[in-house]
PDB file of all heavy atoms in Angstrom:
ATOM      1  N   ALA A   1       0.823  -1.208  -0.002  1.00 98.00           N
ATOM      2  CA  ALA A   1      -0.011   0.006  -0.010  1.00 98.00           C
ATOM      3  C   ALA A   1       0.862   1.251   0.012  1.00 98.00           C
ATOM      4  O   ALA A   1       0.562   2.214  -0.735  1.00 98.00           O
ATOM      5  CB  ALA A   1      -0.924  -0.001   1.204  1.00 98.00           C
ATOM      6  N   PHE A   2       1.911   1.277   0.803  1.00 97.00           N
ATOM      7  CA  PHE A   2       2.791   2.438   0.870  1.00 97.00           C
ATOM      8  C   PHE A   2       3.530   2.678  -0.443  1.00 97.00           C
ATOM      9  O   PHE A   2       3.956   3.773  -0.745  1.00 97.00           O
ATOM     10  CB  PHE A   2       3.780   2.301   2.015  1.00 97.00           C
ATOM     11  CG  PHE A   2       3.181   2.307   3.388  1.00 97.00           C
ATOM     12  CD1 PHE A   2       3.928   1.957   4.478  1.00 97.00           C
ATOM     13  CD2 PHE A   2       1.860   2.636   3.617  1.00 97.00           C
ATOM     14  CE1 PHE A   2       3.409   1.954   5.762  1.00 97.00           C
ATOM     15  CE2 PHE A   2       1.293   2.626   4.862  1.00 97.00           C
ATOM     16  CZ  PHE A   2       2.087   2.291   5.977  1.00 97.00           C
ATOM     17  N   LEU A   3       3.644   1.614  -1.244  1.00 97.00           N
ATOM     18  CA  LEU A   3       4.284   1.734  -2.544  1.00 97.00           C
ATOM     19  C   LEU A   3       3.253   1.863  -3.665  1.00 97.00           C
ATOM     20  O   LEU A   3       3.548   1.676  -4.830  1.00 97.00           O
ATOM     21  CB  LEU A   3       5.189   0.480  -2.790  1.00 97.00           C
ATOM     22  CG  LEU A   3       6.395   0.404  -1.864  1.00 97.00           C
ATOM     23  CD1 LEU A   3       7.086  -0.962  -1.959  1.00 97.00           C
ATOM     24  CD2 LEU A   3       7.367   1.526  -2.115  1.00 97.00           C
ATOM     25  N   TRP A   4       2.005   2.163  -3.316  1.00 97.00           N
ATOM     26  CA  TRP A   4       0.915   2.432  -4.216  1.00 97.00           C
ATOM     27  C   TRP A   4       0.469   1.226  -5.039  1.00 97.00           C
ATOM     28  O   TRP A   4      -0.149   1.365  -6.071  1.00 97.00           O
ATOM     29  CB  TRP A   4       1.212   3.616  -5.184  1.00 97.00           C
ATOM     30  CG  TRP A   4       1.547   4.896  -4.437  1.00 97.00           C
ATOM     31  CD1 TRP A   4       1.361   5.193  -3.116  1.00 97.00           C
ATOM     32  CD2 TRP A   4       2.088   6.046  -5.010  1.00 97.00           C
ATOM     33  NE1 TRP A   4       1.777   6.464  -2.845  1.00 97.00           N
ATOM     34  CE2 TRP A   4       2.241   7.014  -4.005  1.00 97.00           C
ATOM     35  CE3 TRP A   4       2.537   6.387  -6.311  1.00 97.00           C
ATOM     36  CZ2 TRP A   4       2.761   8.282  -4.220  1.00 97.00           C
ATOM     37  CZ3 TRP A   4       3.043   7.640  -6.515  1.00 97.00           C
ATOM     38  CH2 TRP A   4       3.128   8.579  -5.485  1.00 97.00           C
ATOM     39  N   GLN A   5       0.740   0.064  -4.572  1.00 98.00           N
ATOM     40  CA  GLN A   5       0.274  -1.178  -5.200  1.00 98.00           C
ATOM     41  C   GLN A   5      -1.036  -1.580  -4.550  1.00 98.00           C
ATOM     42  O   GLN A   5      -1.146  -2.613  -3.884  1.00 98.00           O
ATOM     43  CB  GLN A   5       1.337  -2.276  -5.073  1.00 98.00           C
ATOM     44  CG  GLN A   5       2.672  -1.895  -5.686  1.00 98.00           C
ATOM     45  CD  GLN A   5       3.782  -2.879  -5.333  1.00 98.00           C
ATOM     46  OE1 GLN A   5       3.562  -3.877  -4.676  1.00 98.00           O
ATOM     47  NE2 GLN A   5       5.007  -2.556  -5.730  1.00 98.00           N
ATOM     48  N   TYR A   6      -2.063  -0.755  -4.742  1.00 98.00           N
ATOM     49  CA  TYR A   6      -3.276  -0.894  -3.942  1.00 98.00           C
ATOM     50  C   TYR A   6      -4.046  -2.196  -4.200  1.00 98.00           C
ATOM     51  O   TYR A   6      -4.588  -2.780  -3.272  1.00 98.00           O
ATOM     52  CB  TYR A   6      -4.182   0.311  -4.189  1.00 98.00           C
ATOM     53  CG  TYR A   6      -3.575   1.598  -3.769  1.00 98.00           C
ATOM     54  CD1 TYR A   6      -3.449   2.665  -4.648  1.00 98.00           C
ATOM     55  CD2 TYR A   6      -3.085   1.773  -2.462  1.00 98.00           C
ATOM     56  CE1 TYR A   6      -2.861   3.864  -4.242  1.00 98.00           C
ATOM     57  CE2 TYR A   6      -2.515   2.937  -2.059  1.00 98.00           C
ATOM     58  CZ  TYR A   6      -2.400   4.001  -2.968  1.00 98.00           C
ATOM     59  OH  TYR A   6      -1.819   5.189  -2.571  1.00 98.00           O
ATOM     60  N   ASP A   7      -4.155  -2.658  -5.453  1.00 98.00           N
ATOM     61  CA  ASP A   7      -4.890  -3.878  -5.700  1.00 98.00           C
ATOM     62  C   ASP A   7      -4.219  -5.078  -5.032  1.00 98.00           C
ATOM     63  O   ASP A   7      -4.875  -5.898  -4.420  1.00 98.00           O
ATOM     64  CB  ASP A   7      -5.030  -4.136  -7.213  1.00 98.00           C
ATOM     65  CG  ASP A   7      -5.894  -3.087  -7.885  1.00 98.00           C
ATOM     66  OD1 ASP A   7      -6.801  -2.569  -7.214  1.00 98.00           O
ATOM     67  OD2 ASP A   7      -5.719  -2.851  -9.097  1.00 98.00           O
ATOM     68  N   GLN A   8      -2.880  -5.160  -5.156  1.00 98.00           N
ATOM     69  CA  GLN A   8      -2.177  -6.252  -4.519  1.00 98.00           C
ATOM     70  C   GLN A   8      -2.262  -6.121  -2.966  1.00 98.00           C
ATOM     71  O   GLN A   8      -2.445  -7.102  -2.280  1.00 98.00           O
ATOM     72  CB  GLN A   8      -0.706  -6.295  -4.968  1.00 98.00           C
ATOM     73  CG  GLN A   8       0.063  -7.454  -4.377  1.00 98.00           C
ATOM     74  CD  GLN A   8      -0.529  -8.802  -4.731  1.00 98.00           C
ATOM     75  OE1 GLN A   8      -0.978  -9.033  -5.847  1.00 98.00           O
ATOM     76  NE2 GLN A   8      -0.606  -9.687  -3.764  1.00 98.00           N
ATOM     77  N   ALA A   9      -2.110  -4.911  -2.466  1.00 98.00           N
ATOM     78  CA  ALA A   9      -2.216  -4.699  -1.022  1.00 98.00           C
ATOM     79  C   ALA A   9      -3.554  -5.094  -0.483  1.00 98.00           C
ATOM     80  O   ALA A   9      -3.653  -5.765   0.570  1.00 98.00           O
ATOM     81  CB  ALA A   9      -1.936  -3.212  -0.697  1.00 98.00           C
ATOM     82  N   GLU A  10      -4.603  -4.757  -1.242  1.00 98.00           N
ATOM     83  CA  GLU A  10      -5.984  -5.127  -0.783  1.00 98.00           C
ATOM     84  C   GLU A  10      -6.103  -6.648  -0.696  1.00 98.00           C
ATOM     85  O   GLU A  10      -6.604  -7.196   0.301  1.00 98.00           O
ATOM     86  CB  GLU A  10      -6.994  -4.574  -1.753  1.00 98.00           C
ATOM     87  CG  GLU A  10      -8.417  -4.893  -1.409  1.00 98.00           C
ATOM     88  CD  GLU A  10      -9.451  -4.385  -2.393  1.00 98.00           C
ATOM     89  OE1 GLU A  10      -9.068  -3.605  -3.338  1.00 98.00           O
ATOM     90  OE2 GLU A  10     -10.621  -4.756  -2.267  1.00 98.00           O
ATOM     91  N   LYS A  11      -5.633  -7.311  -1.705  1.00 98.00           N
ATOM     92  CA  LYS A  11      -5.679  -8.802  -1.718  1.00 98.00           C
ATOM     93  C   LYS A  11      -4.870  -9.382  -0.541  1.00 98.00           C
ATOM     94  O   LYS A  11      -5.370 -10.237   0.202  1.00 98.00           O
ATOM     95  CB  LYS A  11      -5.136  -9.316  -3.031  1.00 98.00           C
ATOM     96  CG  LYS A  11      -5.146 -10.801  -3.186  1.00 98.00           C
ATOM     97  CD  LYS A  11      -4.574 -11.225  -4.544  1.00 98.00           C
ATOM     98  CE  LYS A  11      -4.405 -12.716  -4.608  1.00 98.00           C
ATOM     99  NZ  LYS A  11      -3.749 -13.133  -5.838  1.00 98.00           N
ATOM    100  N   THR A  12      -3.646  -8.898  -0.371  1.00 98.00           N
ATOM    101  CA  THR A  12      -2.801  -9.417   0.704  1.00 98.00           C
ATOM    102  C   THR A  12      -3.425  -9.163   2.071  1.00 98.00           C
ATOM    103  O   THR A  12      -3.462 -10.056   2.917  1.00 98.00           O
ATOM    104  CB  THR A  12      -1.396  -8.738   0.639  1.00 98.00           C
ATOM    105  OG1 THR A  12      -0.841  -9.009  -0.647  1.00 98.00           O
ATOM    106  CG2 THR A  12      -0.498  -9.223   1.740  1.00 98.00           C
ATOM    107  N   LEU A  13      -3.902  -7.921   2.262  1.00 98.00           N
ATOM    108  CA  LEU A  13      -4.466  -7.580   3.575  1.00 98.00           C
ATOM    109  C   LEU A  13      -5.757  -8.308   3.860  1.00 98.00           C
ATOM    110  O   LEU A  13      -5.979  -8.733   5.048  1.00 98.00           O
ATOM    111  CB  LEU A  13      -4.650  -6.054   3.696  1.00 98.00           C
ATOM    112  CG  LEU A  13      -3.367  -5.248   3.752  1.00 98.00           C
ATOM    113  CD1 LEU A  13      -3.630  -3.766   3.540  1.00 98.00           C
ATOM    114  CD2 LEU A  13      -2.648  -5.487   5.098  1.00 98.00           C
ATOM    115  N   ARG A  14      -6.615  -8.459   2.907  1.00 97.00           N
ATOM    116  CA  ARG A  14      -7.874  -9.178   3.155  1.00 97.00           C
ATOM    117  C   ARG A  14      -7.587 -10.636   3.557  1.00 97.00           C
ATOM    118  O   ARG A  14      -8.231 -11.176   4.477  1.00 97.00           O
ATOM    119  CB  ARG A  14      -8.783  -9.103   1.945  1.00 97.00           C
ATOM    120  CG  ARG A  14      -9.434  -7.703   1.847  1.00 97.00           C
ATOM    121  CD  ARG A  14     -10.328  -7.512   0.694  1.00 97.00           C
ATOM    122  NE  ARG A  14     -11.072  -8.687   0.246  1.00 97.00           N
ATOM    123  CZ  ARG A  14     -11.733  -8.744  -0.861  1.00 97.00           C
ATOM    124  NH1 ARG A  14     -11.745  -7.736  -1.683  1.00 97.00           N
ATOM    125  NH2 ARG A  14     -12.379  -9.848  -1.202  1.00 97.00           N
ATOM    126  N   THR A  15      -6.677 -11.294   2.866  1.00 96.00           N
ATOM    127  CA  THR A  15      -6.341 -12.667   3.168  1.00 96.00           C
ATOM    128  C   THR A  15      -5.737 -12.749   4.585  1.00 96.00           C
ATOM    129  O   THR A  15      -6.102 -13.584   5.411  1.00 96.00           O
ATOM    130  CB  THR A  15      -5.350 -13.234   2.142  1.00 96.00           C
ATOM    131  OG1 THR A  15      -5.957 -13.143   0.870  1.00 96.00           O
ATOM    132  CG2 THR A  15      -5.016 -14.660   2.451  1.00 96.00           C
ATOM    133  N   ALA A  16      -4.777 -11.864   4.848  1.00 96.00           N
ATOM    134  CA  ALA A  16      -4.094 -11.884   6.171  1.00 96.00           C
ATOM    135  C   ALA A  16      -5.022 -11.495   7.304  1.00 96.00           C
ATOM    136  O   ALA A  16      -4.921 -12.011   8.412  1.00 96.00           O
ATOM    137  CB  ALA A  16      -2.871 -10.971   6.145  1.00 96.00           C
ATOM    138  N   LEU A  17      -5.951 -10.586   7.039  1.00 95.00           N
ATOM    139  CA  LEU A  17      -6.903 -10.145   8.048  1.00 95.00           C
ATOM    140  C   LEU A  17      -7.795 -11.293   8.519  1.00 95.00           C
ATOM    141  O   LEU A  17      -7.970 -11.470   9.726  1.00 95.00           O
ATOM    142  CB  LEU A  17      -7.764  -8.999   7.531  1.00 95.00           C
ATOM    143  CG  LEU A  17      -8.829  -8.473   8.498  1.00 95.00           C
ATOM    144  CD1 LEU A  17      -8.226  -7.991   9.815  1.00 95.00           C
ATOM    145  CD2 LEU A  17      -9.619  -7.354   7.835  1.00 95.00           C
ATOM    146  N   ALA A  18      -8.222 -12.103   7.603  1.00 93.00           N
ATOM    147  CA  ALA A  18      -9.070 -13.250   7.990  1.00 93.00           C
ATOM    148  C   ALA A  18      -8.248 -14.210   8.883  1.00 93.00           C
ATOM    149  O   ALA A  18      -8.761 -14.717   9.861  1.00 93.00           O
ATOM    150  CB  ALA A  18      -9.563 -13.978   6.735  1.00 93.00           C
ATOM    151  N   LYS A  19      -6.998 -14.416   8.514  1.00 93.00           N
ATOM    152  CA  LYS A  19      -6.144 -15.322   9.341  1.00 93.00           C
ATOM    153  C   LYS A  19      -5.820 -14.693  10.681  1.00 93.00           C
ATOM    154  O   LYS A  19      -5.806 -15.392  11.708  1.00 93.00           O
ATOM    155  CB  LYS A  19      -4.860 -15.640   8.578  1.00 93.00           C
ATOM    156  CG  LYS A  19      -5.096 -16.517   7.332  1.00 93.00           C
ATOM    157  CD  LYS A  19      -3.825 -16.715   6.552  1.00 93.00           C
ATOM    158  CE  LYS A  19      -4.127 -17.529   5.312  1.00 93.00           C
ATOM    159  NZ  LYS A  19      -2.945 -17.694   4.444  1.00 93.00           N
ATOM    160  N   ALA A  20      -5.617 -13.389  10.699  1.00 93.00           N
ATOM    161  CA  ALA A  20      -5.295 -12.730  11.974  1.00 93.00           C
ATOM    162  C   ALA A  20      -6.479 -12.789  12.920  1.00 93.00           C
ATOM    163  O   ALA A  20      -6.316 -13.063  14.105  1.00 93.00           O
ATOM    164  CB  ALA A  20      -4.899 -11.276  11.707  1.00 93.00           C
ATOM    165  N   ALA A  21      -7.670 -12.551  12.418  1.00 88.00           N
ATOM    166  CA  ALA A  21      -8.869 -12.606  13.235  1.00 88.00           C
ATOM    167  C   ALA A  21      -9.091 -14.029  13.743  1.00 88.00           C
ATOM    168  O   ALA A  21      -9.391 -14.210  14.946  1.00 88.00           O
ATOM    169  CB  ALA A  21     -10.072 -12.137  12.463  1.00 88.00           C
ATOM    170  N   HIS A  22      -8.882 -15.008  12.876  1.00 90.00           N
ATOM    171  CA  HIS A  22      -9.069 -16.420  13.298  1.00 90.00           C
ATOM    172  C   HIS A  22      -8.028 -16.820  14.331  1.00 90.00           C
ATOM    173  O   HIS A  22      -8.344 -17.546  15.281  1.00 90.00           O
ATOM    174  CB  HIS A  22      -8.943 -17.333  12.088  1.00 90.00           C
ATOM    175  CG  HIS A  22      -9.067 -18.804  12.407  1.00 90.00           C
ATOM    176  ND1 HIS A  22     -10.294 -19.360  12.755  1.00 90.00           N
ATOM    177  CD2 HIS A  22      -8.157 -19.775  12.480  1.00 90.00           C
ATOM    178  CE1 HIS A  22     -10.087 -20.639  12.998  1.00 90.00           C
ATOM    179  NE2 HIS A  22      -8.816 -20.920  12.834  1.00 90.00           N
ATOM    180  N   SER A  23      -6.803 -16.309  14.220  1.00 91.00           N
ATOM    181  CA  SER A  23      -5.717 -16.644  15.149  1.00 91.00           C
ATOM    182  C   SER A  23      -5.681 -15.719  16.351  1.00 91.00           C
ATOM    183  O   SER A  23      -4.790 -15.841  17.200  1.00 91.00           O
ATOM    184  CB  SER A  23      -4.410 -16.593  14.404  1.00 91.00           C
ATOM    185  OG  SER A  23      -4.370 -17.524  13.358  1.00 91.00           O
ATOM    186  N   ARG A  24      -6.581 -14.781  16.389  1.00 91.00           N
ATOM    187  CA  ARG A  24      -6.709 -13.842  17.487  1.00 91.00           C
ATOM    188  C   ARG A  24      -5.431 -12.977  17.668  1.00 91.00           C
ATOM    189  O   ARG A  24      -4.938 -12.725  18.772  1.00 91.00           O
ATOM    190  CB  ARG A  24      -7.063 -14.562  18.806  1.00 91.00           C
ATOM    191  CG  ARG A  24      -8.356 -15.375  18.661  1.00 91.00           C
ATOM    192  CD  ARG A  24      -8.729 -16.142  19.877  1.00 91.00           C
ATOM    193  NE  ARG A  24      -8.956 -15.333  21.038  1.00 91.00           N
ATOM    194  CZ  ARG A  24     -10.072 -14.663  21.343  1.00 91.00           C
ATOM    195  NH1 ARG A  24     -11.097 -14.730  20.502  1.00 91.00           N
ATOM    196  NH2 ARG A  24     -10.177 -13.968  22.434  1.00 91.00           N
ATOM    197  N   ILE A  25      -4.890 -12.523  16.566  1.00 92.00           N
ATOM    198  CA  ILE A  25      -3.753 -11.640  16.509  1.00 92.00           C
ATOM    199  C   ILE A  25      -4.308 -10.249  16.284  1.00 92.00           C
ATOM    200  O   ILE A  25      -4.373  -9.753  15.158  1.00 92.00           O
ATOM    201  CB  ILE A  25      -2.729 -12.041  15.461  1.00 92.00           C
ATOM    202  CG1 ILE A  25      -2.283 -13.486  15.679  1.00 92.00           C
ATOM    203  CG2 ILE A  25      -1.524 -11.134  15.453  1.00 92.00           C
ATOM    204  CD1 ILE A  25      -1.422 -14.065  14.594  1.00 92.00           C
ATOM    205  N   PHE A  26      -4.750  -9.627  17.358  1.00 92.00           N
ATOM    206  CA  PHE A  26      -5.612  -8.446  17.227  1.00 92.00           C
ATOM    207  C   PHE A  26      -4.847  -7.184  16.831  1.00 92.00           C
ATOM    208  O   PHE A  26      -5.373  -6.365  16.106  1.00 92.00           O
ATOM    209  CB  PHE A  26      -6.412  -8.208  18.513  1.00 92.00           C
ATOM    210  CG  PHE A  26      -7.304  -9.363  18.835  1.00 92.00           C
ATOM    211  CD1 PHE A  26      -7.166 -10.096  19.994  1.00 92.00           C
ATOM    212  CD2 PHE A  26      -8.325  -9.721  17.983  1.00 92.00           C
ATOM    213  CE1 PHE A  26      -7.971 -11.152  20.303  1.00 92.00           C
ATOM    214  CE2 PHE A  26      -9.168 -10.780  18.253  1.00 92.00           C
ATOM    215  CZ  PHE A  26      -9.008 -11.492  19.402  1.00 92.00           C
ATOM    216  N   PHE A  27      -3.636  -6.995  17.306  1.00 91.00           N
ATOM    217  CA  PHE A  27      -2.879  -5.781  16.902  1.00 91.00           C
ATOM    218  C   PHE A  27      -2.671  -5.752  15.412  1.00 91.00           C
ATOM    219  O   PHE A  27      -2.918  -4.737  14.748  1.00 91.00           O
ATOM    220  CB  PHE A  27      -1.540  -5.713  17.642  1.00 91.00           C
ATOM    221  CG  PHE A  27      -0.744  -4.513  17.257  1.00 91.00           C
ATOM    222  CD1 PHE A  27      -1.089  -3.239  17.758  1.00 91.00           C
ATOM    223  CD2 PHE A  27       0.332  -4.602  16.390  1.00 91.00           C
ATOM    224  CE1 PHE A  27      -0.354  -2.110  17.375  1.00 91.00           C
ATOM    225  CE2 PHE A  27       1.050  -3.466  16.000  1.00 91.00           C
ATOM    226  CZ  PHE A  27       0.701  -2.236  16.533  1.00 91.00           C
ATOM    227  N   ALA A  28      -2.282  -6.868  14.845  1.00 93.00           N
ATOM    228  CA  ALA A  28      -2.045  -6.978  13.401  1.00 93.00           C
ATOM    229  C   ALA A  28      -3.377  -6.804  12.649  1.00 93.00           C
ATOM    230  O   ALA A  28      -3.415  -6.134  11.599  1.00 93.00           O
ATOM    231  CB  ALA A  28      -1.421  -8.331  13.038  1.00 93.00           C
ATOM    232  N   ALA A  29      -4.429  -7.370  13.183  1.00 95.00           N
ATOM    233  CA  ALA A  29      -5.769  -7.164  12.544  1.00 95.00           C
ATOM    234  C   ALA A  29      -6.160  -5.703  12.530  1.00 95.00           C
ATOM    235  O   ALA A  29      -6.694  -5.229  11.538  1.00 95.00           O
ATOM    236  CB  ALA A  29      -6.808  -7.993  13.288  1.00 95.00           C
ATOM    237  N   GLY A  30      -5.863  -4.987  13.609  1.00 95.00           N
ATOM    238  CA  GLY A  30      -6.164  -3.556  13.666  1.00 95.00           C
ATOM    239  C   GLY A  30      -5.384  -2.780  12.583  1.00 95.00           C
ATOM    240  O   GLY A  30      -5.982  -1.907  11.922  1.00 95.00           O
ATOM    241  N   LEU A  31      -4.136  -3.142  12.402  1.00 95.00           N
ATOM    242  CA  LEU A  31      -3.356  -2.490  11.317  1.00 95.00           C
ATOM    243  C   LEU A  31      -3.970  -2.805   9.959  1.00 95.00           C
ATOM    244  O   LEU A  31      -4.028  -1.906   9.075  1.00 95.00           O
ATOM    245  CB  LEU A  31      -1.891  -2.997  11.333  1.00 95.00           C
ATOM    246  CG  LEU A  31      -1.025  -2.563  12.522  1.00 95.00           C
ATOM    247  CD1 LEU A  31       0.319  -3.285  12.464  1.00 95.00           C
ATOM    248  CD2 LEU A  31      -0.801  -1.044  12.453  1.00 95.00           C
ATOM    249  N   ALA A  32      -4.380  -4.023   9.753  1.00 97.00           N
ATOM    250  CA  ALA A  32      -4.937  -4.438   8.467  1.00 97.00           C
ATOM    251  C   ALA A  32      -6.287  -3.713   8.216  1.00 97.00           C
ATOM    252  O   ALA A  32      -6.513  -3.229   7.097  1.00 97.00           O
ATOM    253  CB  ALA A  32      -5.170  -5.940   8.428  1.00 97.00           C
ATOM    254  N   TYR A  33      -7.154  -3.629   9.230  1.00 98.00           N
ATOM    255  CA  TYR A  33      -8.409  -2.927   9.021  1.00 98.00           C
ATOM    256  C   TYR A  33      -8.169  -1.478   8.647  1.00 98.00           C
ATOM    257  O   TYR A  33      -8.804  -0.945   7.712  1.00 98.00           O
ATOM    258  CB  TYR A  33      -9.237  -2.914  10.346  1.00 98.00           C
ATOM    259  CG  TYR A  33     -10.141  -4.118  10.495  1.00 98.00           C
ATOM    260  CD1 TYR A  33      -9.995  -4.939  11.622  1.00 98.00           C
ATOM    261  CD2 TYR A  33     -11.143  -4.437   9.613  1.00 98.00           C
ATOM    262  CE1 TYR A  33     -10.813  -6.014  11.805  1.00 98.00           C
ATOM    263  CE2 TYR A  33     -11.947  -5.521   9.795  1.00 98.00           C
ATOM    264  CZ  TYR A  33     -11.800  -6.336  10.899  1.00 98.00           C
ATOM    265  OH  TYR A  33     -12.632  -7.422  11.063  1.00 98.00           O
TER     266      TYR A  33
END
């Protein structure tokens, strides 16, 4: 995202967010949201 690769960033973050929420890694989930 910081490098303006928004489509790839969205895909990466959505996938990781689901895993973070499932694994209860809340700080990382907050960054992703």
Side-chain angles (χ1 to χ4, degrees):
F2 294 168
L3 295 169
W4 302 347
Q5 300 169 5
Y6 298 124
D7 291 333
Q8 183 59 42
E10 180 182 351
K11 181 181 173 187
T12 301
L13 289 168
R14 285 180 32 192
T15 302
L17 177 58
K19 292 176 183 176
H22 179 73
S23 300
R24 304 178 60 83
I25 304 172
F26 299 119
F27 179 76
L31 290 172
Y33 273 121

